Amino acid sequence: MTATLAARAARAAVARAELVAAPPERLVLLLPDPHARFAAVELSGEFVADTVLDAGYGACTYLLAWDVERAAVDVPALERFLGGYGDLVLRPDLAALRPPYVVCDAWWPDGRPVDVAPRTVLRAALAAAEELGLVPSVGIEHEFVVTDAAGSPLTGHGLDYALGGTERLAPLLDDLRVALRGFGVESARGECHPGQYEIVPRHRDALAACDDALLVQHLVRATAHRHGARATYLAAPATGQGNSGHVHLSLSAVDGGPLGGTGREPSAVLAAFLAGVLRAAGDLTAVFAPTVNSYVRLRTSPFSPRLVRWGVDDRTAAVRLAGRDESLRLECRFAGADAQPHLVVAAILAAGLAGVRERATPPPPGEVVDELAATPWRALERWASGRPAALLGEAVVAHQAALLAAELDAACDAVTDWQRHRAALRT
């Protein structure tokens, strides 16, 4: 399903009228943060209807400038607010209303959108696509591992496409099907590692796909907790394993006409888009792999290819050309399940659109053109190379660099079992 930004705005206007006429008892305002989770505040529906829809709702700036432990990080774009922990303004996007939840955009107090907020970055990429007459449709596959409270997977082996073997997961999965009604889940199945499962919502407009990906993660974790279990989206649950966040992306014209291709042959537009993605992928590793653990997945998981190449229906390639004819699409396999989906899709879009503008030509299938960064330090170097700033803007690059640097500082401050094991070997 495709939708222009104008179509989303029209849906929001209808939803606004309905909300004002009959406010729900409560609404939970959600803001996607840089760490693939929501910041949230619960308000009365009446207060939202009579005040927040017009004035917005103040929320602490550090929602977009914190690490995963909710400690403030010194990020350039927000530093003038952090000294006094001042407010940004949350504005509900009623096209993203799923009672009791509504996803919000972040705005500066002077009425400008916060340029480094993940949702704003994606909106900018979508606006750039529409300027070229293109509208993307996005589907996001997320894998997760279900463990008991002690961290042991609920199955002792992989369940890839298995019919049986999911008995320990069955009660949790039954409740999860109920929780995810209305999310348009296309498929759900066991995956190849112990305790691993995958949920795939159907394609939809990019903002909805990314918002729903985070909501699904929240509901999966909450459902697991009710069963005394844990669901982890850790990129590498163990060495040699990977939880991925594959992005399927197709293109349509603004009038809705598909731009896939003929058979397995991509259209000129999709081919140029593919060329742009391949050209920029290595420099964008910091978005696809935002944590120290991300690099364990990239380095050791066999289906998390670091080499940048594409192939037709090739799951070992970094970009798989999937489907055919009108449904021909790119499956970008770079990101782990820990990556921020709005930023991942924005980065892919920005890279692909650069290829479209330049009428770039992709290399032959299978030809290696680059590789993703092998370490977070190398990812930071490539992130500062100039191309990411040209694609996403200097402010976004500085913001993400500060957050990844904070992740690395925290890792270097920690004492781990791996370090203790290595120390024991020195005796």
Side-chain angles (χ1 to χ4, degrees):
M1 180 182 69
T2 60
T4 63
L5 292 172
R8 284 186 60 89
R11 290 207 308 269
V14 172
R16 179 189 175 106
E18 294 172 348
L19 179 63
V20 170
E25 181 178 347
R26 68 186 184 99
L27 276 173
V28 181
L29 273 55
L30 303 175
L31 179 70
D33 86 345
H35 305 294
R37 65 187 179 188
F38 284 120
V41 58
E42 183 174 325
L43 304 175
S44 79
E46 185 177 350
F47 176 56
V48 172
D50 66 27
T51 300
V52 174
L53 292 185
D54 291 325
Y57 187 80
C60 184
T61 300
Y62 92 141
L63 301 183
L64 295 173
W66 57 16
D67 63 17
V68 291
E69 297 186 59
R70 289 177 164 80
V73 176
D74 184 14
V75 292
L78 301 173
E79 61 186 358
R80 73 179 188 271
F81 293 94
L82 291 175
Y85 289 89
D87 273 353
L88 299 174
V89 179
L90 305 187
R91 295 191 178 277
D93 175 5
L94 294 183
L97 178 63
R98 284 187 179 274
Y101 303 112
V102 60
V103 184
C104 299
D105 291 302
W107 293 69
W108 302 111
D110 65 7
R112 293 174 297 120
V114 177
D115 51 359
V116 298
R119 226 168 174 267
T120 307
V121 179
L122 179 53
R123 278 188 179 276
L126 293 171
E130 291 187 21
E131 287 178 2
L132 294 176
L134 304 175
V135 180
S137 178
V138 170
I140 300 177
E141 302 177 1
H142 269 140
E143 297 160 341
F144 57 93
V145 169
V146 183
T147 71
D148 60 23
S152 297
L154 287 194
T155 67
H157 53 81
L159 302 170
D160 208 12
Y161 290 99
L163 177 61
T166 60
E167 289 77 12
R168 288 191 69 192
L169 290 171
L172 185 159
L173 295 177
D174 286 343
D175 285 354
L176 195 53
R177 292 184 189 100
V178 175
L180 297 182
R181 284 176 184 166
F183 279 86
V185 173
E186 176 180 294
S187 68
R189 66 176 179 87
E191 263 286 357
C192 60
H193 301 308
Q196 191 177 45
Y197 213 74
E198 177 187 81
I199 292 177
V200 184
R202 297 190 67 180
H203 280 224
R204 58 201 69 196
D205 77 80
L207 277 166
C210 295
D211 292 342
D212 286 352
L214 292 188
L215 267 173
V216 168
Q217 288 194 13
H218 166 71
L219 293 170
V220 167
R221 289 187 176 105
T223 303
H225 180 75
R226 288 196 296 273
H227 286 263
R230 294 177 181 171
T232 177
Y233 288 84
L234 194 67
T239 299
Q241 299 182 9
N243 281 327
S244 298
H246 298 161
V247 174
H248 289 251
L249 186 147
S250 57
L251 295 174
S252 299
V254 171
D255 64 8
L259 296 171
T262 303
R264 293 291 182 92
E265 185 69 26
S267 67
V269 170
L270 188 61
F273 190 97
L274 167 62
V277 171
L278 294 172
R279 182 177 58 190
D283 293 331
L284 299 172
T285 306
V287 168
F288 304 141
T291 72
V292 171
N293 178 263
S294 304
Y295 295 84
V296 180
R297 168 185 171 266
L298 288 181
R299 294 166 68 100
T300 71
S301 178
F303 280 91
S304 303
R306 275 209 349 256
L307 298 180
V308 177
R309 61 180 179 85
W310 73 284
V312 177
D313 199 20
D314 182 355
R315 284 184 172 85
T316 70
V319 180
R320 170 186 172 225
L321 190 67
R324 60 174 59 248
D325 298 321
E326 293 184 358
S327 70
L328 200 63
R329 62 194 184 275
L330 306 184
E331 180 189 10
C332 298
R333 301 170 63 85
F334 309 113
D338 58 349
Q340 213 292 342
H342 300 79
L343 295 177
V344 168
V345 174
I348 292 170
L349 276 174
L353 294 176
V356 172
R357 292 188 193 95
E358 297 168 26
R359 300 183 181 179
T361 302
E367 181 177 311
V368 175
V369 297
D370 197 359
E371 61 182 284
L372 301 186
T375 71
W377 292 274
R378 178 59 177 150
L380 273 175
E381 290 176 4
R382 296 200 64 172
W383 183 241
S385 66
R387 194 194 304 270
L391 295 174
L392 297 167
E394 294 282 359
V396 173
V397 168
H399 194 80
Q400 293 305 118
L403 292 170
L404 182 51
E407 165 84 358
L408 293 177
D409 286 347
C412 289
D413 289 343
V415 179
T416 66
D417 287 342
W418 176 84
Q419 293 170 1
R420 295 186 182 95
H421 169 70
R422 301 281 283 199
L425 297 177
R426 300 171 77 93
T427 59

